[in-house]
Amino acid sequence: MAKKQKSLGQVFTNGLFKQNPTFVQFLGMCPTLAVTSRVSDALGMGLGVIFVLVLSNLAISIIRNYVPREVRIPIYIVIIAALVTMLEIMMTWLLPEVASSLGTFLSLIVVNCLILGRAEAFASKNSPVPSMLDGLGMALGFTGGITLIAIFRELLGSGSITIWGEISVDLIPDTFAIGVLTMPAGAFLVFGILVSQVNKLRMKRQEGNEVA
Amino acid sequence: MKHVRIVLTLLLTVVVFMGLVFLVESIARPEINARLAEEANQAKFAVLPELAVDFPIDYEVGDITAEYELEETSILNIYNEEGYGYIYEAQFQGYQSKIKYMLGISEDGEITGFQVLEQNDTPGLGGEINNSTNWEQFVGMSFNTALSQSFDGLSGATITTTAWQESVAEVVDFHVNTVLGFTYTDITANTGLSSVVKAETMSKDGSVLEVTYTVQFSTNFTSGDPNEYVVTFKVGEGVKSLTFNRAADTPEYGGKIGEADFSEQFTGLLLQDAIDGNYDGVAGASFTTSGFVSTFDQVVAFHNVNYEGAAPETEAEKLARWKTELSVKGGTIVDMTTDYDFSESAIDSVEFVTPDGETDASHVIITFTYSGFAGDVTLMVGMDIDTNKLTGMRVVSENETPDYGGVIDEAGGEEWLSQFDGLPMNGARYGVFDSIGGASTTTYSKLVPALEDAMAWYDEAINGNVVPAPTMSELFVQYVKEMHPTAEYVSDITADYPLVDEIIRAGIARDVNGDILGYVYLVEYEGASVVTATTNTMLISVDDQKLFNGFTLLESTDTVGYIDHYFEAEFAEAFIGEDIEELEYDFADAHAGASNSYAYIMEAVEFAARYHVETVLEQEFNRPAPMTVSNHTLFLLPAFPTADHFEEVYLDYAYNQTIANMFAAYDETDTLLGYVYVFTAMGNGGNMIFSYGVDVAGTTQELAVLIENETWLNAPGYTGGDAFVDSTFIDSYEGVLLASFITADASIDGFAGVTNTTSAVEEAITEVAQYHEDNVGGAN
C-alpha cells in the first residue's frame, strides 16, 4: 500500500493528538509515572525531551543515507546519549533547580523509547525538516500528556500546584487531598482513567469519520 | 569493504558527537563550577552563621586544607576564620550517590550548622538528606552527640543514614584530635584512689590542659547506688566545673548536694581555695557534706601533686596529717614516750596533742608494732581522752601479703579501718572488732594482744586503772570461753594430772547446770620443719563422749602460705563430731603442697586425744568395746544371786585385757549391792569365760563358769572325781575377801594334773582382784 504523503502540518499535529506518545503509543512510560507527581517536574522533563528529540531526529535524518543498516542502532544511541549529556550539562548550568529535581531521570532520557522509536520509525526514512517537525510534535504531545497527568496528581493529591517556587493554584485544602495520587499507585490510576477517556474520544471520532 | 564502512561510520559518529559534548562541557563547566563555588560559600555562611554578622556574603573564608593530612579521611576541605570557627567540607557515599556537605563548628566547641551541597540519592529516601529540616538538629549539637553517632537520621534510608552519621563523627573526631589537637587519655588506673571511678586528661601538644575526675561516695541514709559527681580541673587555674550525676541521699537533706546552688560555687574555684576548703557545705546534711569533702580533698590532693607540680606528701607530712586527723582539731604534739617504760610493751611511742588555745591534752596518739603474718605491722591509733574512745586507726607500715593481710593498707581496707572510728577503749582492748577474712593473723590474732597492751597502758596512764596482766591461766580461761561461749564455769585441771611439755593447759568447761561442755587442751606441738624447727599452738576440745567438739589453730611459726589453710574455719569444722580415738589422716584434707604441715598438726591432735583418754580419763586409748552380755539372768545372776538387776559400768573404768566386761549389781530398791566381773582365762581346752560377783564389802559371791571346754575327767593324773565346773576349785573362790587374791596365793589348792587350767584361773582372778582394788577401791 502506498504511503500517504503527509503535509508538514499533518506531520506536526500527528504527534500531538492522533499518535500521542503518552496516551496512544504508550511510549516513555517510566518517566511518565516518575515525574508526573509534580507539574514543575513534568514541564522540566518535557523541555528536555523536546531538546533531545528534535535534535536527534535532525541529526539522524541528516546522516540516514550514510549509515550502514547493521550499525544504525548503536550510532543512534551514541547520538542520543551525546545529546542527553549535553542537555544535562546545560541544564545544570542554566536551570540547576530543574536539573536537581529531575535527578537521575534526566539521564534516563537516553533510554526513553520514544526517542529511539521516532528515530527508527521516522527520522531514518525522512528528510530533515519533516523529521524535525515530527520530533517537535511528538515531544510536545509527550509534554502535554505528562503535564496533564501531573496537573491531576499534584492538584488532587496535595491540594495545590507549585511551579518553581510560585504557587499557581491552590484549590483544595490539605485535609481533602487524595494522598494516594502522589504515590506510584496514584500515577497508574490517573493514567488509566485518562487513557480510557482519550480512547473514548478516539472511538467517537473514528465512528464520526467512518460515518462521514 | 562493508565492514570497513561500518567501523568507519561508527568511529566517525562517536568522534564527532563526543567532540560536540566536550565543546559544550568546556563552555558550561566553568560556569557551573563558579556557581557551585558561590553556593558553597553561601553554604559556609549558612553553617557558621557568626560569619554573616561581620562579613559580606562573598567573603573568602580562609582555607586551611593544606595544613592537614586529609588523604585518609572523607574531608575535602577545611576553612577557618580566627575567632569564629571552622567549616569542614566532606563527602561520603550514600546509597546511590556521593553526598557532599558542609559542617560548621564554633570556637566554643559546638556544632553550628550543616548543609548538603551535592547529592543524587534516591528521592524520598536518601535524597531526603537534602531536606533542610534534617539540618536543624545540628545547630548547637554537642560533640558527644556527633561522636556517638546518635543524631536523627533519615527514616527508611538506613544505609545513607549510617554513612552520614559515620562521616559526621569522623569529621568531629578529626576536629577534636587533629585540628584542635586535643588528646584524651584515660588515667583511671593511675589515681590509686578507690573513690575515683574514672579519670581522664585532655592534652594538646603533650601538655595537659584539663583533667576530669568522676568520683563516688556512699550515701548515709539511703541504700542503693552511691553519690557520683564529675569535676573538671583546668591546669594552672583551678576547678572548671563540677556536676553531680547522682545525689542519692535523702532528698531534703543530703540529696540537696545535687542542686545547682552547691555545684555552681565550684565553677572557676581557684585551686588554693579548693585545697583550703573555701566553699560551703550543704546545710543540714553534715554526713553527706563530709563524705563529699573527704573524696574531694583526696582528688584535689592527687591533682595538685600530679598536675600542678605540688610536691607529693612526704612520709613525715603524712604522719603529721594523720596525727592531726586523729586528734580531730590538731594542735601542739608532745612526744612523751620517754616518760614511760615500754620495754615489755608493743607500744613504740605515745604523743599527747593539745589543741591551740587550750591547756590540757585532748588526745593521745599511740603507735605500736606487732609481729604479723609476714613481718612487723606498725599501727597508729588516736584516743580521745575525754570519751575514752578511739578516733581512728592508721597503718604506718606493714609487709603483709597483698590482698590478704596487706588489705588493711589498700583501698579495700578503708572500711575495716573505719570500724575503729569511735570504738570504745574496752572494745579495742577485748578484741570486739572484725578481722579481715583470710588474714586473721594480721588483723586479729596478733593485733588483739598488741592493741590490748596499748589500751591497758592507756587505761593505766590516763584513767589510773591498773589492770594486772593476765596470767597464762586467765588467758587460757579466755580461750576456753571463746571456744564454748555458753560455758559458765571453767576449771583449770592442768595441775591435777602429770605435767606434759606439750600440754600447756588442760581445762573443763561446764555450762550453767554444771554439765560438761568439753575438755579443752592448749597444745604446743612441733610443726613441719624444713630449715628451722617450727611450733604449732592450738586449742582442742573433746566432749564427754570422746568426740571432738572444738579446734582452733592459734599460732604457728610454720611457713607462710603452707600453714594458712589450717587457720581457716573450714579445717577446724572438719574435726567436730569425729571420734578422738579414730583419727584418720586423710591427706585429701591437707592443703595442696602442705601435707607436711598437715601431718604435724594431726600428730598434735592425736597426742592431745591420747592424753585425754589415757591421762585424764584413765582409760585405755582405743580400747575395744566391752563383751556383750545379753542375758543377765543367765550369765550374771549366777555370780550374784541376790541381785535384782545389773548395769554395765566397764566404760567408766580402766581397761584390762583380762576383764571382758564389768557390771554393777543393784537390788530392787536400786541400792548398789556390788559388782560382777566377766573375765577370761585361757584353759587347757581353750578360752574360758567366768562371771564373778563381789559385794560392796569386798566379799566374793559366786564364781560362775559361763564357757569352758575342759576335760578334767580325762586328764591323766587328775584324781579328783568332778568335772571342772563342779570342782571344789571353783568353790574355793567363793565367799572370801577378793583382796586376798591380790597376790597369787597358795591357799587355793591346786589340783594335780590340771595345773594349766588352775594356774590360768588363779592368774585371772589375781588380775580381777587387783583391778577391783585399783578401780573400785576394795571396800566401798
Side-chain angles (χ1 to χ4, degrees):
Chain A
M1 194 155 94
K3 280 215 186 114
K4 218 163 68 178
Q5 192 64 289
K6 289 186 181 163
S7 70
L8 287 178
Q10 276 183 315
V11 165
F12 178 71
T13 56
N14 194 28
L16 292 177
F17 301 111
K18 206 164 174 195
Q19 291 245 282
N20 184 289
T22 306
F23 296 117
V24 181
Q25 290 193 76
F26 293 173
L27 289 176
M29 282 292 99
C30 317
T32 301
L33 298 169
V35 308
T36 49
S37 50
R38 277 197 291 268
V39 172
S40 50
D41 288 346
L43 286 172
M45 172 62 82
L47 203 68
V49 170
I50 290 169
F51 174 84
V52 173
L53 193 49
V54 169
L55 291 176
S56 74
N57 266 10
L58 176 68
I60 289 164
S61 175
I62 289 170
I63 62 168
R64 73 184 188 284
N65 292 321
Y66 307 106
V67 167
R69 275 199 79 250
E70 292 87 342
V71 286
R72 72 181 191 288
I73 301 287
I75 287 176
Y76 297 165
I77 290 174
V78 168
I79 294 168
I80 295 167
L83 284 168
V84 172
T85 312
M86 284 188 258
L87 173 71
E88 266 191 86
I89 293 167
M90 289 199 288
M91 247 203 192
T92 312
W93 171 23
L94 300 165
L95 299 169
E97 309 95 47
V98 179
S100 63
S101 66
L102 285 176
T104 46
F105 288 102
L106 199 55
S107 320
L108 288 176
I109 294 173
V110 178
V111 295
N112 192 329
C113 33
L114 173 65
I115 300 164
L116 194 60
R118 290 326 288 171
E120 174 73 355
F122 197 93
S124 59
K125 301 167 192 164
N126 292 285
S127 52
V129 175
S131 298
M132 268 177 63
L133 283 173
D134 173 79
L136 188 62
M138 286 289 162
L140 282 172
F142 176 75
T143 308
I146 60 174
T147 308
L148 188 64
I149 298 172
I151 287 170
F152 279 108
R153 283 185 71 192
E154 194 176 356
L155 197 62
L156 296 173
S158 51
S160 61
I161 297 179
T162 311
I163 305 182
W164 292 317
E166 292 174 36
I167 299 179
S168 294
V169 191
D170 201 1
L171 198 66
I172 307 166
D174 276 347
T175 44
F176 291 106
I178 306 166
V180 71
L181 294 181
T182 57
M183 292 190 283
F188 279 106
L189 271 171
V190 173
F191 177 68
I193 291 169
L194 284 172
V195 164
S196 68
Q197 293 311 302
V198 166
N199 274 344
K200 196 168 156 189
L201 275 170
R202 281 179 63 217
M203 297 290 172
K204 259 203 200 149
R205 198 181 273 181
Q206 244 182 338
E207 274 169 37
N209 279 348
E210 272 162 22
V211 168
Chain B
M1 203 41 208
K2 197 82 190 272
H3 302 279
V4 177
R5 219 179 142 210
I6 287 170
V7 172
L8 228 59
T9 41
L10 204 51
L11 196 64
L12 201 66
T13 318
V14 169
V15 168
V16 168
F17 278 89
M18 284 310 111
L20 283 172
V21 171
F22 278 122
L23 192 68
V24 173
E25 166 96 27
S26 59
I27 298 169
R29 187 53 61 182
E31 301 292 316
I32 294 171
N33 284 342
R35 198 195 71 232
L36 284 177
E38 195 187 307
E39 275 176 10
N41 220 41
Q42 280 176 345
K44 283 181 212 156
F45 274 74
V47 298
L48 195 59
E50 287 258 311
L51 288 172
V53 175
D54 292 331
F55 299 102
I57 198 78
D58 55 359
Y59 176 75
E60 258 200 60
V61 184
D63 189 332
I64 56 169
T65 313
E67 295 172 28
Y68 299 96
E69 195 55 60
L70 297 171
E71 289 228 357
E72 302 285 310
T73 67
S74 64
I75 300 172
L76 301 168
N77 291 295
I78 310 176
Y79 305 94
N80 167 245
E81 194 60 37
E82 271 302 308
Y84 292 88
Y86 296 81
I87 299 164
Y88 290 85
E89 190 180 331
Q91 187 173 282
F92 67 94
Q93 179 65 40
Y95 180 59
Q96 239 179 238
S97 76
K98 278 200 154 71
I99 300 173
K100 198 191 274 189
Y101 66 89
M102 283 220 179
L103 187 75
I105 303 178
S106 73
E107 300 238 331
D108 295 332
E110 254 185 11
I111 296 171
T112 49
F114 176 90
Q115 183 160 307
V116 169
L117 295 174
E118 281 171 36
Q119 67 85 24
N120 214 350
D121 224 337
T122 330
L125 294 171
E128 280 299 299
I129 201 172
N130 213 9
N131 190 333
S132 54
T133 51
N134 287 315
W135 307 340
E136 286 161 15
Q137 58 180 328
F138 286 91
V139 181
M141 188 188 281
S142 70
F143 284 175
N144 252 344
T145 317
L147 287 168
S148 62
Q149 300 185 25
S150 58
F151 56 83
D152 294 332
L154 311 160
S155 61
T158 332
I159 294 179
T160 307
T161 302
T162 315
W164 180 26
Q165 288 172 337
E166 275 174 18
S167 179
V168 172
E170 188 197 345
V171 169
V172 175
D173 185 72
F174 183 87
H175 177 73
V176 167
N177 286 326
T178 312
V179 175
L180 292 184
F182 290 157
T183 335
Y184 291 89
T185 320
D186 187 300
I187 54 157
T188 313
N190 303 349
T191 61
L193 299 170
S194 58
S195 53
V196 174
V197 296
K198 184 167 177 224
E200 192 178 66
T201 57
M202 183 181 89
S203 1
K204 183 171 178 170
D205 298 329
S207 50
V208 179
L209 297 175
E210 281 180 16
V211 191
T212 306
Y213 303 88
T214 308
V215 189
Q216 286 183 351
F217 61 99
S218 49
T219 58
N220 280 286
F221 296 102
T222 61
S223 60
D225 292 329
N227 295 304
E228 188 177 281
Y229 63 90
V230 181
V231 56
T232 304
F233 291 85
K234 210 160 177 184
V235 174
E237 288 178 28
V239 182
K240 181 178 171 187
S241 68
L242 188 142
T243 334
F244 264 83
N245 286 346
R246 187 169 50 237
D249 236 323
T250 333
E252 309 83 52
Y253 300 99
K256 287 188 153 221
I257 205 168
E259 288 176 10
D261 287 345
F262 179 78
S263 31
E264 268 167 13
Q265 56 180 341
F266 291 92
T267 309
L269 185 73
L270 293 176
L271 189 67
Q272 193 54 49
D273 287 330
I275 295 169
D276 294 336
N278 284 342
Y279 46 85
D280 298 324
V282 182
S286 45
F287 287 105
T288 310
T289 307
S290 61
F292 167 78
V293 171
S294 76
T295 54
F296 188 67
D297 281 346
Q298 280 180 329
V299 170
V300 169
F302 170 82
H303 180 79
N304 200 14
V305 168
N306 287 282
Y307 296 101
E308 300 286 354
E313 203 177 40
T314 59
E315 186 69 19
E317 282 173 337
K318 184 174 81 170
L319 291 174
R321 173 168 61 87
W322 282 349
K323 287 173 195 169
T324 310
E325 285 170 10
L326 291 174
S327 55
V328 182
K329 286 183 282 188
T332 323
I333 303 175
V334 180
D335 189 324
M336 311 264 282
T337 314
T338 48
D339 282 10
Y340 304 92
D341 177 14
F342 291 128
S343 52
E344 299 284 308
S345 169
I347 296 177
D348 298 329
S349 69
V350 293
E351 290 158 285
F352 286 79
V353 184
T354 312
D356 297 331
E358 289 178 29
T359 44
D360 295 327
S362 62
H363 293 81
V364 187
I365 312 289
I366 308 173
T367 311
F368 61 95
T369 305
Y370 62 92
S371 146
F373 191 62
D376 282 346
V377 178
T378 303
L379 302 175
M380 179 193 285
V381 292
M383 302 292 302
D384 184 324
I385 291 177
D386 287 328
T387 61
N388 278 341
K389 286 186 181 177
L390 276 78
T391 49
M393 179 187 279
R394 300 284 186 271
V395 179
V396 177
S397 76
E398 54 86 20
N399 224 339
E400 303 297 83
T401 330
D403 294 338
Y404 287 93
V407 163
I408 59 174
D409 211 0
E410 293 161 18
E414 280 164 10
E415 212 182 299
W416 179 79
L417 281 176
S418 70
Q419 62 180 336
F420 294 97
D421 299 345
L423 186 69
M425 174 189 77
N426 278 331
R429 189 178 196 168
Y430 297 119
V432 183
F433 50 85
D434 300 323
S435 65
I436 289 187
S440 26
T441 310
T442 309
T443 61
Y444 206 78
S445 56
K446 291 297 182 69
L447 171 60
V448 168
L451 198 50
E452 191 185 340
D453 202 26
M455 294 299 104
W457 167 81
Y458 173 85
D459 208 11
E460 187 182 339
I462 307 297
N463 299 330
N465 295 330
V466 181
V467 176
T471 58
M472 174 50 90
S473 286
E474 285 173 310
L475 251 178
F476 177 66
V477 169
Q478 222 178 302
Y479 285 139
V480 174
K481 285 206 169 146
E482 267 167 31
M483 187 166 266
H484 297 284
T486 56
E488 191 72 22
Y489 314 105
V490 176
S491 39
D492 189 325
I493 57 169
T494 320
D496 297 345
Y497 297 95
L499 292 178
V500 169
D501 278 341
E502 288 89 347
I503 307 286
I504 299 184
R505 272 287 177 289
I508 299 180
R510 286 175 209 273
D511 68 10
V512 69
N513 300 320
D515 296 329
I516 294 179
L517 289 169
Y519 297 81
V520 187
Y521 301 96
L522 180 64
V523 180
E524 203 177 84
Y525 204 85
E526 66 172 319
S529 60
V530 175
V531 179
T532 50
T534 65
T535 315
N536 294 325
T537 309
M538 63 196 83
L539 213 60
I540 297 161
S541 177
V542 180
D543 69 7
D544 54 0
Q545 301 301 312
K546 291 194 280 188
L547 303 174
F548 286 111
N549 65 353
F551 175 88
T552 313
L553 181 60
L554 293 171
E555 251 180 67
S556 172
T557 53
D558 198 346
T559 328
V560 171
Y562 291 94
I563 199 69
D564 302 20
H565 173 68
Y566 307 105
F567 282 98
E568 299 289 321
E570 198 190 321
F571 180 72
E573 277 158 21
F575 283 102
I576 310 286
E578 294 295 306
D579 191 326
I580 69 174
E581 288 177 306
E582 285 167 36
L583 201 61
E584 273 172 28
Y585 283 42
D586 187 354
F587 283 89
D589 278 344
H591 203 53
S595 37
N596 219 14
S597 304
Y598 173 76
Y600 278 97
I601 290 179
M602 295 307 276
E603 210 181 283
V605 172
E606 192 176 341
F607 185 89
R610 205 170 265 277
Y611 180 84
H612 174 68
V613 173
E614 290 173 350
T615 312
V616 176
L617 295 183
E618 288 175 359
Q619 292 175 14
E620 184 84 6
F621 187 74
N622 230 343
R623 69 195 271 171
M627 189 182 87
T628 317
V629 178
S630 47
N631 196 329
H632 293 190
T633 318
L634 197 58
F635 299 118
L636 301 180
L637 208 54
F640 212 123
T642 52
D644 178 72
H645 58 276
F646 304 89
E647 225 175 80
E648 189 184 296
V649 295
Y650 194 21
L651 287 176
D652 292 343
Y653 299 94
Y655 172 72
N656 188 299
Q657 233 182 344
T658 310
I659 298 170
N661 212 335
M662 177 183 164
F663 295 84
Y666 298 92
D667 70 2
E668 304 84 21
T669 61
D670 265 334
T671 317
L672 180 71
L673 295 175
Y675 299 89
V676 174
Y677 290 95
V678 177
F679 66 91
T680 60
M682 184 59 81
N684 198 41
N687 208 19
M688 302 179 285
I689 303 180
F690 303 85
S691 61
Y692 198 22
V694 59
D695 69 13
V696 290
T699 314
T700 61
Q701 306 293 292
E702 315 248 337
L703 178 63
V705 181
L706 306 180
I707 295 175
E708 58 85 21
N709 225 338
E710 300 306 304
T711 50
W712 276 18
L713 295 171
N714 298 336
Y718 177 58
T719 53
D722 306 304
F724 175 58
V725 287
D726 303 317
S727 67
T728 52
F729 177 68
I730 303 280
D731 298 335
S732 57
Y733 283 99
E734 296 170 351
V736 291
L737 269 179
L738 183 59
S740 63
F741 298 122
I742 285 178
T743 51
D745 211 9
S747 60
I748 304 292
D749 297 331
F751 283 84
V754 287
T755 37
N756 275 348
T757 312
T758 54
S759 46
V761 177
E762 271 174 41
E763 262 177 56
I765 290 185
T766 307
E767 280 274 348
V768 173
Q770 183 69 57
Y771 181 88
H772 184 77
E773 176 85 12
D774 291 339
N775 284 277
V776 180
N780 277 22

